[in-house]
Amino acid sequence: MDEKPFLSVVMPVHEGAAWIETTLDSLVAEPTGDLEIIVIDSSPTSATAAIVERFAHRLPLRLLQRRDLTPWQTKTNLGVELAAADHICILPQDDLWLPGRVEAARRWLGGSPEAALHLAPTVIVDRSGRRMGRWNCPLPADEMLEAEFLLERLLVQNFVSVPAPIFRRSAWLACGGVDEKLWYTADWDIWAKLASTGPVVYHDEITTAFRVHGSSLTVTGSRDVGEFRSQMQIVMERHLPRLPASSRRRVEPAAQASISVNASLAAASGGDLKALVRAARVVLSLGPSGMRRYLRDSRLRERVICRLRAKLTGAF
């Protein structure tokens, strides 16, 4: 590449042959001439890499085969280190770009160049690509948001979909990158860390799709309910002390309730239907104001409905 790209796309890949072609097709549909796409593949076979290589003449691709780097966190940190652009986004192997993604990225970065992190909603699709709903962020649009404002909402529930944000490479490196010890909540943790490095802007514009399916890490990881709960607790305890005492008193009950509800929903998905009763009791125990905060920031209704729709259509 002769000129510095305006955006680097980091794609951590592992045994992605079922999804990667559709994902790369969604990139081909965009003007990618001044982008950099870094695919880091840890698959034990060459099946995924062979599909990626077929796109080499259509996309500004850089393919690294690193079978020694299985975790997506490790591959992502490496991709950010290698990236040439000042701004970066992540695209998992099973998610998608939607028409207008590149144009929107240019507007976001041009309109708020000082922001460390740009957030946006995403659409949720099933394994066949059918739209199941919208994944929103409970944030005001087109305003510079300080870390405290974002954390008060983000610590109740991770409402950021991995393919949607764009962040400064320098901010990622300054905060140490993604925590490779967090197998489930590493993305939640990095958004909180990035918010500490500079302003955040939320753009109410959907340009990506997040795919829900039965073999995703979100689903398989939550089957160990105890470890699932522990992963969420780590992030909450790590970042809650960054809030003033008055904010912590408001946020902590909703954050703890959210962890309990998420763990209960995971248990119910595994067959423990009594867990749904426990979840309802936890939410009711918050009282009226606490329930409003929890329901606003957790997006419980939209998360559950989207997954139920995917299961009912048989495409989960």
Side-chain angles (χ1 to χ4, degrees):
M1 185 173 294
D2 296 330
E3 297 183 2
K4 185 175 182 178
F6 97 93
L7 181 67
S8 293
V9 184
V10 175
M11 297 185 64
V13 172
H14 184 79
E15 295 189 299
W19 313 106
I20 196 71
E21 182 172 9
T22 303
T23 300
L24 292 175
D25 275 334
S26 75
L27 293 175
V28 169
E30 289 290 290
T32 57
D34 57 351
L35 268 60
E36 173 187 48
I37 302 167
I38 303 173
V39 180
I40 304 179
D41 179 23
S42 58
S43 304
T45 71
S46 60
T48 301
I51 297 172
V52 174
E53 287 170 346
R54 295 207 300 267
F55 285 81
H57 67 291
R58 304 166 68 191
L59 292 170
L61 278 172
R62 181 178 179 184
L63 172 63
L64 285 76
Q65 292 182 268
R66 291 292 303 270
R67 294 177 182 175
D68 58 318
L69 301 181
T70 301
W72 74 265
Q73 300 91 329
T74 308
K75 294 193 288 284
T76 302
N77 279 335
L78 174 60
V80 173
E81 290 175 10
L82 296 174
D86 292 332
H87 290 90
I88 298 174
C89 64
I90 304 166
L91 183 59
Q93 64 191 27
D94 46 2
D95 296 335
L96 303 165
W97 277 11
L98 300 180
R101 170 67 168 175
V102 171
E103 178 188 353
R106 292 187 190 280
R107 278 191 280 101
W108 299 353
L109 300 181
S112 304
E114 68 274 43
L117 178 63
H118 295 261
L119 300 177
T122 192
V123 67
I124 298 175
V125 300
D126 65 15
R127 65 184 304 117
S128 300
R130 288 176 292 191
R131 295 194 177 202
M132 296 291 106
R134 174 177 166 133
W135 181 341
N136 296 299
C137 302
L139 300 170
D142 303 319
E143 297 180 19
M144 285 289 179
L145 307 176
E146 299 301 328
E148 181 180 335
F149 182 91
L150 179 63
L151 284 177
E152 284 187 358
R153 290 155 175 76
L154 187 61
L155 290 182
V156 174
Q157 174 71 40
N158 179 20
F159 46 69
V160 181
S161 169
V162 171
I166 297 175
F167 54 87
R168 279 191 171 276
R169 178 177 181 272
S170 59
W172 181 284
L173 297 176
C175 70
V178 71
D179 187 342
E180 298 178 10
K181 296 177 183 177
L182 295 175
W183 58 263
Y184 180 73
T185 53
D187 58 326
W188 188 15
D189 181 62
I190 191 62
W191 312 136
K193 291 197 296 186
L194 285 169
S196 70
T197 67
V200 178
V201 181
Y202 175 62
H203 308 273
D204 190 17
E205 184 174 3
I206 293 177
T207 63
T208 58
F210 175 84
R211 194 187 301 272
V212 294
H213 57 89
S215 57
S216 69
L217 179 61
T218 305
V219 174
T220 58
S222 63
R223 289 169 185 162
D224 185 337
V225 177
E227 181 62 19
F228 181 58
R229 176 188 288 272
S230 174
Q231 287 277 302
M232 292 182 286
Q233 195 75 28
I234 289 170
V235 175
M236 192 271 290
E237 292 176 355
R238 177 177 292 176
H239 296 286
L240 191 66
R242 291 171 49 193
L243 293 175
S246 58
S247 296
R248 288 201 301 270
R249 286 194 292 271
R250 294 194 304 270
V251 171
E252 186 170 10
Q256 292 285 11
S258 183
I259 291 173
S260 295
V261 170
N262 290 339
S264 295
L265 292 175
S269 180
D272 181 8
L273 297 183
K274 292 181 180 179
L276 296 177
V277 177
R278 296 195 295 271
R281 287 173 177 167
V282 168
V283 174
L284 290 171
S285 72
L286 292 172
S289 62
M291 286 175 61
R292 283 194 297 271
R293 175 181 293 274
Y294 167 72
L295 292 173
R296 179 195 68 191
D297 297 341
S298 70
R299 316 167 349 274
L300 178 66
R301 178 177 176 274
E302 66 190 68
R303 288 189 293 128
V304 171
I305 287 177
C306 287
R307 282 164 173 78
L308 285 175
R309 284 176 179 165
K311 287 186 175 182
L312 289 173
T313 62
F316 185 73

